[in-house]
C-alpha cells in the first residue's frame, strides 16, 4: 500500500506512522517552573541528535507544561525510562493541570541534579542534564495555519549513570532494560537477549563487493 500523508487516507484503523518509526526512545522530561514547581512527562518524539557537543531533542504536540517550563527556566533533564519503571512513567503522562507536580503521581523520588535546577528520577539508572538551546516550530499542516509541533533542542551538559550498570568500562544497556515506544499503545524493551553487535565494514570490504558485482 501507499498513501500521501497530507490527505492521510491510509484506510487503517489508526495512523500507522508511529508504528513504523519504531522503536522510539522515551525522553522522560523533568522541568521546573519559574515558581519552582516540578513537572515530569514522557516524550517519545525524542532522540539524541549529536555528540561532542551532545544534543537531544523532543517534540511537544501543542504547548505542554514541559515546553512552557523550559521556556521559563531554560533547563530540563531526561531520565531513562526502564521496564521496572514502566507503570511509573505511564502515570506521569496524565494530562494534569499546570502547576501539579507529577513526581508523586508517578511515585517517584526527585533527586537533585548538579548543573541544572530540575530534578532527575532517583529510581532511574541514567539521566541527562540539559540546557535549552532553541525551539523550532514545525510548519503547520495547512499553509497559514498554526504550528502544532515544537521541537526543543537541549545541550546535554551532565550525565548521571548508576555505577551498578557499568561493567568493564562499558555501560550495560541490556541490564538497564530501557523501554521504547512503538505505535498505538505498544512498547518494546531492550534486554540482553534482544541485543546484537555488528562491526562496521572497512572501505576495502565495501569496495570488494562492487568489484565482485562488476565481475559478474
Ligand atoms: C510513552 C509516551 C510518549 C509520549 N510522547 C509524547 C511526545 O512525543 N510528544 C507529546 O507531545 N506528548 C507525548 N506524550 C503525551 C505526554 O506525555 C502528555 O501529554 C503529558 O501530559 C505532557 O505533560 P506536560 O504537559 O507536563 O509536559 C507521550 C505519552 C506517553 C505515555
Amino acid at each position: 500500500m501507499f498513501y500521501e500523508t497530507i490527505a492521510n487516507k491510509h484506510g487503517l484503523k489508526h495512523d500507522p506512522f508511529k508504528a513504523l518509526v519504531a522503536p522510539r526512545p522515551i525522553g522522560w522530561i523533568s522541568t521546573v517552573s519559574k515558581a519552582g514547581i516540578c513537572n515530569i512527562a514522557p516524550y517519545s518524539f525524542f532522540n539524541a541528535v549529536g555528540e561532542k557537543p551532545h544534543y537531544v531533542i523532543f517534540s511537544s504536540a501543542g504547548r505542554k507544561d514541559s515546553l512552557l517550563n523550559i521556556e521559563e527556566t531554560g533547563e530540563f533533564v531526561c531520565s531513562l525510562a526502564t521496564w521496572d519503571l514502566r507503570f511509573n512513567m505511564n502515570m506521569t503522562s496524565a494530562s494534569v493541570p499546570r502547576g501539579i507536580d507529577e513526581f508523586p503521581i508517578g511515585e517517584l523520588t526527585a533527586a537533585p541534579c548538579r548543573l541544572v535546577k530540575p530534578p532527575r528520577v532517583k529510581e532511574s539508572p541514567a539521566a541527562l542534564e540539559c540546557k535549552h538551546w532553541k525551539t523550532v516550530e514545525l510548519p503547520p499542516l495547512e499553509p497559514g495555519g498554526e504550528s502544532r509541533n515544537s521541537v526543543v533542542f537541549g545541550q546535554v551538559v551532565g550525565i548521571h549513570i548508576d555505577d551498578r550498570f557499568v561493567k568493564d568500562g562499558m555501560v550495560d544497556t541490556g541490564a538497564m532494560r530501557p523501554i521504547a515506544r512503538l505505535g498505538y499503545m505498544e512498547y518494546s524493551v531492550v534486554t540482553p537477549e534482544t541485543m546484537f553487535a555488528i562491526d562496521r565494514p572497512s572501505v576495502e570490504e565495501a569496495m570488494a563487493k562492487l568489484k565482485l558485482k562488476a565481475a559478474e
Side-chain angles (χ1 to χ4, degrees):
M1 64 180 279
F2 172 81
Y3 67 97
E4 293 189 34
T5 54
I6 298 295
N8 222 25
K9 288 185 180 150
H10 41 72
L12 305 176
K13 285 187 187 164
H14 302 282
D15 190 326
F17 179 58
K18 289 194 278 187
L20 300 170
V21 187
R24 296 181 310 288
I26 297 171
W28 204 4
I29 309 291
S30 47
T31 54
V32 68
S33 68
K34 215 165 146 190
I37 298 164
C38 293
N39 190 91
I40 181 159
Y43 286 80
S44 71
F45 284 136
F46 167 83
N47 223 317
V49 288
E51 56 183 352
K52 295 180 195 164
H54 301 68
Y55 276 86
V56 291
I57 55 159
F58 77 91
S59 177
S60 178
R63 295 183 53 74
K64 297 188 177 179
D65 299 348
S66 305
L67 173 70
L68 298 174
N69 285 353
I70 292 166
E71 283 176 351
E72 280 186 7
T73 61
E75 297 178 337
F76 64 98
V77 175
C78 317
S79 296
L80 190 69
T82 63
W83 173 257
D84 287 347
L85 295 169
R86 63 196 183 283
F87 297 121
N88 310 73
M89 178 280 298
N90 191 42
M91 284 307 291
T92 66
S93 74
S95 304
V96 297
R98 181 131 200 256
I100 293 202
D101 179 354
E102 294 93 348
F103 271 87
I105 294 176
E107 296 178 84
L108 298 164
T109 316
C113 280
R114 301 271 184 106
L115 306 173
V116 299
K117 282 212 182 80
R120 64 193 166 88
V121 172
K122 192 178 178 201
E123 292 81 0
S124 172
L128 313 175
E129 295 191 10
C130 303
K131 297 259 189 198
H132 184 216
W133 175 50
K134 68 159 80 167
T135 300
V136 174
E137 304 290 337
L138 296 184
L141 188 60
E142 311 275 347
E146 237 182 76
S147 172
R148 217 178 92 77
N149 301 296
S150 305
V151 182
V152 175
F153 285 74
Q155 183 177 359
V156 181
V157 292
I159 298 185
H160 297 261
I161 306 170
D162 183 333
D163 294 324
R164 287 177 302 161
F165 295 96
V166 179
K167 283 192 193 119
D168 303 326
M170 312 257 279
V171 169
D172 190 351
T173 306
M176 291 178 169
R177 291 188 156 64
I179 54 170
R181 196 78 165 87
L182 310 174
Y184 317 114
M185 303 314 287
E186 294 176 335
Y187 291 82
S188 64
V189 56
V190 176
T191 67
E193 297 75 42
T194 58
M195 288 169 58
F196 57 92
I198 304 180
D199 285 335
R200 289 191 53 186
S202 65
V203 173
E204 291 72 28
E205 275 177 278
M207 295 307 285
K209 287 271 179 206
L210 283 184
K211 279 190 198 126
L212 264 179
K213 269 263 168 255
E216 275 173 15

